[in-house]
Structures are given as structure tokens and as C-alpha cells.
Amino acid sequence: MTPINEIPSLSIVVPCYNEEEVLPETIQRISATIELLIEKNKLNSSSCVFFVDDGSRDHTWEIIESHAQSNSFVKGYKLSRNRGHQNALLAGLHNAKGDILISIDADLQDDTSAIEAMVDEYAKGHEVVYGVRSKRETDTFFKRYTAEAYYKLLAKLGVELVFNHADYRLLSRKALEELKRYSEVNLFLRGIVPQLGFSSTSVEYERHERFAGESKYPLKKMLAFAVEGVTSFSHAPLRFITGLGFLVSLFAFFMIFWVLAVKLFSDNAVPGWASIVIPVFFIGGVQLLSLGVVGEYIAKIYMETKSRPLYTIEKEV
């Protein structure tokens, strides 16, 4: 690893969706962090923060515009419609300037003081620095348990992930340019970034409660994002249903022998529908489940073949 000699410029990318309640505080804290690092000669004066409005329905964009006029650190992009967190984040990363880029959510649950530690690790020569949650005490038991179980499940499926890391990370310009080569529509950045292969390290921080507003990831979106992560990086579900199909076929084969044995060699054969209906329902359920999993992969192929733009920037400030 070669130490970085020149003072780098930093761009912080913050995707926003209906964040009017927390945004003024977010702008104040991130601006203060940038100013402090410039005073310490860890960043140069062209450093800034890019807020990406992901089609918000509240006054998020008006707040970004207002602060951009009075705060030299603040810049912003407004997407033409809501495209989802990952696309909004990618829009910011693709268009922001700077030698290094840090992505962080607007809700202030990720500790902004970890930004300095990330910059220090970059100065040591690391191209990627992951923000890793040391504690999740502010999460509910259900969210903490399911999140950690999900990371472990993906690891078992062969997906390379950093445990307890979301989208709080530093990327060097070199790493970002490599990331731009990934043109897939089905985005799961926390699975893509480890595949870049550059020198990386982690910085731990304590996760806080959301400063204001409501979570933009209800259970429905969390489940959809979880499915996205599995199907974008692992074909294990397809192999699983192949194995399941083999087991069901084996079970049906033994059922045939059992029915014939009872019919031919005993007087216990009772006319009824149970021995017919139960296997039919069981096999039918497995078939529908298998078709659903296969359909999920086919849908991803369909989305990729259309090659539609991931986002459209309507305004820039």
C-alpha cells in the first residue's frame, strides 16, 4: 500500500427520500465535519456533500436548494422520479467529483464522526473503507435478529459481504471508476463493492437512533431488498429446488411402492382420498414454489435485457 501524499478532495453522497425533518441537522453535521477535516489539512477546500433527492414528495429539494445558496459545501441532484435508494446512491456516486467519495444515509443513524477515521485509512493506502456497526442496540430485537441472520445466510450462499455493513463506505476514485463498469440493473451495492478487489479495511462505529422522521425501509421493502441480494449474487436457490425436486421424486417413488404393497399383500387397504390428496397437494406446493424461484431469476434477466437508464437527473444545484 502506497501512502497518499497529496491532500485529497472528498465528496459525501447522501441519498434522500422525504427527509425534510432531519435534513437541516444532517447538513449542519456533515458540513461541520468537512470543515474540521479541512482545518486539519486532511481534506482540501474543494470538498463538498452531494444530496440526491430521490423523487421526494415533501420539501426535501427546497431545503437542499436553500442550503446550497448559503453553504458552499452543499450541492444537490434531483431525480425526475423515485428510483429507490440504491439507484439514488449510484446517481450521486456517478456524478460527484472528488478524489474520494463517502456514501451515508440522511437519517444520522450512521455516526458522522467515523468519516475522519475513514479518511485516515484512505491516507494509509486503502482504496475501500467499510463502515461497520459495532452495536445495533437502537434497533428492535426483530430488526437486529433478522438483519444479522440475513448476513449469515448470504455468507452461507457464497455471497461475499462485510458483516454488519450497509452502505456507509469510502471509495477512492480508482475504486469508483471500476464500480462504474458494473452496469447491471439489479443493484445490490453492498455485494458488488467487495468484488472490486482493491485494498480494503473497516472502521467501526456505534449506530444511533434516527434523529427525526420515519424509516424509509418498512418490512415490505426490507424483504424485497433481501430477495434482491440473494438472487443477484447466488444461484444456490436454483440448486436447492433441484435437490428438493429430487427428494420429492424419491418420496413419490416410495409412496408408489407402499401403496402397491398395501394393496397386494394386506387387507388394510381402506378406500379413501387421503393417500391421494396429500401427495398431490405436497407435490403441487413444491412445484409452485419452484416456479416462483425460477420466475424470480427470469424476471431479473428480463430487466437486464431492457437496459433502461437507472436514473434521470432533473435538476442540479
Side-chain angles (χ1 to χ4, degrees), residues 10-12 27-28 30-36 38 44-51 67-68 70-76:
L10 167 68
S11 289
I12 299 176
I27 292 172
Q28 190 276 325
I30 293 179
S31 297
T33 300
I34 294 175
E35 189 170 14
L36 176 63
I38 291 174
N44 71 41
S45 57
S46 63
S47 299
C48 58
V49 51
F50 286 85
F51 292 93
H67 282 79
S70 58
N71 187 333
S72 61
F73 293 131
V74 175
K75 301 182 185 301

Side-chain angles (χ1 to χ4, degrees), residues 226-281:
V227 171
E228 188 77 47
V230 172
T231 54
S232 293
F233 285 89
S234 176
H235 57 267
L238 293 174
R239 289 188 172 179
F240 171 76
I241 62 176
T242 301
L244 185 61
F246 173 77
L247 291 176
V248 170
S249 299
L250 193 64
F251 173 76
F253 180 75
F254 280 110
M255 282 289 293
I256 292 171
F257 272 91
W258 175 74
V259 171
L260 288 175
V262 171
K263 181 70 175 177
L264 297 175
F265 302 109
S266 77
D267 298 325
N268 296 326
V270 178
W273 53 270
S275 60
I276 298 175
V277 172
I278 291 175
V280 167
F281 271 87

Side-chain angles (χ1 to χ4, degrees), residues 7 12-13 15 39 46 61 68 70 73 75 132 140 170 172 181 214 235 254 260 276 282 289 302 304-305 310:
I7 299 176
I12 299 176
V13 176
E39 291 175 358
S46 63
W61 179 246
S70 58
F73 293 131
K75 301 182 185 301
V132 176
T140 63
L170 177 148
S172 69
R181 296 179 59 197
E214 299 178 350
H235 57 267
F254 280 110
L260 288 175
I276 298 175
F282 177 68
L289 174 64
Y302 170 65
E304 293 290 347
T305 56
L310 299 178

Side-chain angles (χ1 to χ4, degrees), residues 15-17 52-57 78-91 184-187 217 221 225 228 303 306-314:
C16 307
Y17 179 65
V52 182
D53 178 17
D54 185 23
S56 298
R57 297 189 300 270
K78 177 177 174 59
L79 302 189
S80 59
R81 58 180 290 268
N82 178 253
R83 298 307 302 263
H85 178 273
Q86 296 289 280
N87 285 326
L89 176 55
L90 199 66
E184 55 205 71
V185 173
N186 303 292
L187 280 177
Y217 260 91
K221 282 191 175 182
F225 191 58
E228 188 77 47
M303 294 300 294
K306 290 191 291 186
S307 300
R308 292 177 179 174
L310 299 178
Y311 57 86
T312 301
I313 295 178
E314 178 183 347

Side-chain angles (χ1 to χ4, degrees), residues 32-259:
T33 300
I34 294 175
E35 189 170 14
L36 176 63
L37 294 180
I38 291 174
E39 291 175 358
K40 291 183 175 181
N41 287 325
K42 293 185 178 183
L43 298 176
N44 71 41
S45 57
S46 63
S47 299
C48 58
V49 51
F50 286 85
F51 292 93
V52 182
D53 178 17
D54 185 23
S56 298
R57 297 189 300 270
D58 61 4
H59 299 290
T60 294
W61 179 246
E62 287 80 359
I63 293 172
I64 295 171
E65 282 187 314
S66 174
H67 282 79
Q69 294 173 6
S70 58
N71 187 333
S72 61
F73 293 131
V74 175
K75 301 182 185 301
Y77 295 112
K78 177 177 174 59
L79 302 189
S80 59
R81 58 180 290 268
N82 178 253
R83 298 307 302 263
H85 178 273
Q86 296 289 280
N87 285 326
L89 176 55
L90 199 66
L93 292 173
H94 279 179
N95 293 279
K97 312 301 179 185
D99 301 311
I100 50 179
L101 298 96
I102 291 178
S103 56
I104 186 173
D105 289 340
D107 56 18
L108 293 177
Q109 287 190 283
D110 297 331
D111 190 358
T112 55
S113 65
I115 291 174
E116 182 173 3
M118 290 182 176
V119 172
D120 290 340
E121 290 299 332
Y122 168 77
K124 297 176 183 177
H126 296 289
E127 304 286 349
V128 180
V129 184
Y130 301 101
V132 176
R133 299 160 181 171
S134 60
K135 298 179 181 178
R136 303 185 68 120
E137 295 178 353
T138 56
D139 290 344
T140 63
F141 172 78
F142 174 77
K143 186 173 182 179
R144 181 169 64 251
Y145 177 79
T146 53
E148 293 181 350
Y150 177 62
Y151 282 110
K152 293 175 182 177
L153 172 64
L154 285 178
K156 289 184 180 296
L157 292 176
V159 183
E160 186 179 355
L161 283 179
V162 177
F163 188 74
N164 267 338
H165 162 71
D167 286 303
Y168 189 18
R169 70 178 72 86
L170 177 148
L171 295 173
S172 69
R173 175 56 58 179
K174 181 192 293 186
L176 179 62
E177 291 304 318
E178 184 64 23
L179 178 64
K180 287 181 179 180
R181 296 179 59 197
Y182 287 72
S183 58
E184 55 205 71
V185 173
N186 303 292
L187 280 177
F188 188 66
L189 289 175
R190 65 189 70 176
I192 293 175
V193 173
Q195 294 189 7
L196 300 180
F198 294 108
S199 171
S200 64
T201 188
S202 299
V203 168
E204 290 192 345
Y205 68 94
E206 188 171 340
R207 184 170 170 83
H208 303 305
E209 292 184 6
R210 168 177 268 274
F211 181 81
E214 299 178 350
S215 172
K216 305 307 182 295
Y217 260 91
L219 181 60
K220 181 180 178 181
K221 282 191 175 182
M222 288 174 61
L223 291 174
F225 191 58
V227 171
E228 188 77 47
V230 172
T231 54
S232 293
F233 285 89
S234 176
H235 57 267
L238 293 174
R239 289 188 172 179
F240 171 76
I241 62 176
T242 301
L244 185 61
F246 173 77
L247 291 176
V248 170
S249 299
L250 193 64
F251 173 76
F253 180 75
F254 280 110
M255 282 289 293
I256 292 171
F257 272 91
W258 175 74
V259 171

